[in-house]
Amino acid sequence: VELSCHGGRVVLGRVLRAVVAAGARPAGPGEFTLRAFLNGRMDLAQAEAVQELIAAESELGARVAAEQLSGRLSRVVGGLRDGLVEALAEIEAAIDFPDEDIDVTDQDALLVRLRALRTETRSLLETFEEGRRVREGVHVVIAGRPNVGKSSLMNALLDEERAIVTAEPGTTRDVLRESLIYQGVALTIADTAGIRAPRGAAETEGVRRSREALAQADLVLFVLDGSAPLDESDRQIAAGLAGRPVIAVLNKSDLPPRANVIELGQGLAPECVVQTSALKKTGLHELKEAVVERAWPSGLPHHGGVLVTQARHRAALVRAEAALGRTADIVEDGAGLELAAVEAREALDALGEIIGAVTTDDILNTIFSKFCIGK
């Protein structure tokens, strides 16, 4: 029964109270999706994709969630399970019928199959970081010494006066985060306190938080004052960023250039240097383009690709990949097919948890507690 009501909250409230008085009850979080899962209309990975689609903050995130809702990830995981079931059946047949033991040729073929399944599982697992960036957005941290224009650059990227800007060094004391959508990609921009020898307890805490944000960043915008020669603080910060995904931003390009990034000794490629003027709002498009290119060096995910976006799925794949490795090692060493069967079942259960072939009340409660009421 579906009731459509005209009117405001009073009418809706009275109708709802009447329906409940007649014996109905309010739906629980995610109850409709939960019922669809329990009744076999969708698997658990598809059910989770419903919530991901609702919560998506970018076109890219919504598209990937919709592809998972269509069952793309489920089919890949299901294919892995099917291959593992065949291998496990072969192992258990050898256990149940010892007089017809697997000969060397069959054992070699079984080992090849197990290793192939492990490789496929590992390849799927390796998509998680890309999937996380799709789901959560790319974490971009603006860093540099004081007074190079970090807060001004953040305001320019957001096109609003979000961060306080003054000529006094050390104005920013905390990490300030805001979201930005560019080319359908979600970017989380974080402005941080200028990194230098701190002066006072507040600035000490600000610098500590800056370094903490840098450690968690997907990409760092290392801002330099392009109108001044590089100093020792710039070189020390650059040394601390060695090996990290970095774009050097030569800010204040509206003034005569005096900075030379080659002096940093960081080995930044020319395409990783962008000139901007936060004051004149120039170079911002080029900087956003560079951010997307550095965050997705192989290009944005295309239709048809499969990405792991959930931490729960990643944890299950880690367990499955490890168990498959142990299974293959046991078969290769001839340590006993009974042990190989135990490890293969562990891998099978781990894969089953992703699509709901293996579930517990704790798993379901954790997943559906995140849903809005009803959906």
Side-chain angles (χ1 to χ4, degrees):
V1 176
E2 180 176 345
L3 303 177
S4 296
C5 305
H6 297 285
R9 296 176 63 88
V10 173
V11 172
L12 292 173
R14 292 185 65 179
V15 170
L16 182 59
R17 286 195 295 272
V19 171
V20 171
R25 65 166 177 80
E31 182 162 348
F32 296 133
T33 308
L34 174 60
R35 289 190 181 201
F37 163 69
L38 294 175
N39 289 313
R41 300 294 297 276
M42 61 173 61
D43 63 38
L44 199 53
Q46 290 174 294
E48 288 173 289
V50 172
Q51 176 65 9
E52 282 210 20
L53 185 57
I54 293 170
E57 297 183 356
S58 67
E59 292 180 13
L60 181 60
R63 173 163 62 78
V64 171
E67 289 174 351
Q68 291 197 358
L69 181 56
S70 73
R72 183 160 285 135
L73 174 64
S74 303
R75 287 190 289 273
V76 172
V77 173
L80 289 172
R81 292 190 80 244
D82 290 344
L84 185 52
V85 166
E86 291 180 7
L88 181 57
E90 198 169 312
I91 293 171
E92 292 185 337
I95 295 171
D96 292 339
F97 304 100
D99 294 337
E100 301 175 19
D101 200 5
I102 301 175
D103 61 29
V104 175
T105 303
D106 291 335
Q107 188 162 323
D108 289 344
L110 175 61
L111 193 57
V112 169
R113 188 183 310 172
L114 289 170
R115 285 176 173 164
L117 288 169
R118 185 186 186 188
T119 299
E120 291 177 43
T121 303
R122 186 186 296 123
S123 296
L124 187 59
L125 179 59
E126 289 171 351
T127 68
F128 175 71
E129 278 305 313
E130 189 175 2
R132 182 191 59 77
R133 293 197 298 272
V134 167
R135 184 168 182 255
E136 300 177 1
V138 181
H139 295 185
V140 182
V141 173
I142 302 174
R145 61 180 172 85
N147 270 25
V148 293
K150 300 185 300 298
S151 297
S152 297
L153 181 63
M154 181 173 187
N155 288 342
L157 289 170
L158 297 173
D159 198 23
E160 64 174 288
E161 297 300 314
R162 183 65 181 84
I164 297 174
V165 177
T166 72
E168 179 184 349
T171 302
T172 302
R173 300 295 181 89
D174 204 348
V175 178
L176 181 65
R177 291 182 174 86
E178 286 292 340
S179 295
L180 170 69
I181 303 296
Y182 182 72
Q183 291 187 355
V185 177
L187 307 175
T188 300
I189 312 292
D191 181 27
T192 61
I195 299 176
R196 65 175 181 180
R199 303 170 186 177
E203 191 172 359
T204 298
E205 178 63 16
V207 171
R208 187 194 68 79
R209 294 187 183 190
S210 295
R211 297 189 186 281
E212 188 177 77
L214 283 171
Q216 299 170 353
D218 294 321
L219 179 64
V220 178
L221 302 186
F222 179 25
V223 184
L224 302 156
D225 184 347
S227 67
L230 303 181
D231 65 13
E232 187 57 29
S233 295
D234 294 320
R235 295 184 182 90
Q236 288 179 359
I237 296 170
L241 295 175
R244 302 292 307 280
V246 176
I247 297 175
V249 182
L250 288 177
N251 196 31
K252 306 184 183 181
S253 63
D254 51 301
L255 299 175
R258 298 181 64 193
N260 183 1
V261 294
I262 297 177
E263 297 177 15
L264 293 175
Q266 190 187 5
L268 288 171
E271 62 268 20
C272 297
V273 180
V274 179
Q275 296 191 30
T276 64
S277 170
L279 179 64
K280 301 294 185 180
K281 295 189 176 181
T282 59
L284 301 179
H285 173 73
E286 291 78 5
L287 180 56
K288 292 175 184 176
E289 288 284 332
V291 167
V292 173
E293 289 175 7
R294 290 284 284 166
W296 308 96
S298 301
L300 294 175
H302 300 293
H303 288 283
V306 177
L307 295 178
V308 175
T309 59
Q310 294 271 352
R312 188 183 76 83
H313 298 171
R314 177 186 180 278
L317 287 169
V318 167
R319 286 170 44 217
E321 193 267 343
L324 281 167
R326 292 193 297 269
T327 306
D329 290 344
I330 291 169
V331 170
E332 184 177 22
D333 296 341
L337 292 179
E338 292 84 358
L339 295 176
V342 170
E343 296 293 353
R345 289 192 199 99
E346 167 66 19
L348 194 63
D349 287 348
L351 292 172
E353 286 182 9
I354 296 175
I355 57 177
V358 178
T359 58
T360 65
D361 288 342
D362 287 342
I363 290 176
L364 295 182
N365 290 337
T366 299
I367 291 172
F368 288 98
S369 65
K370 302 174 185 177
F371 276 63
C372 59
I373 298 299
K375 177 57 66 181

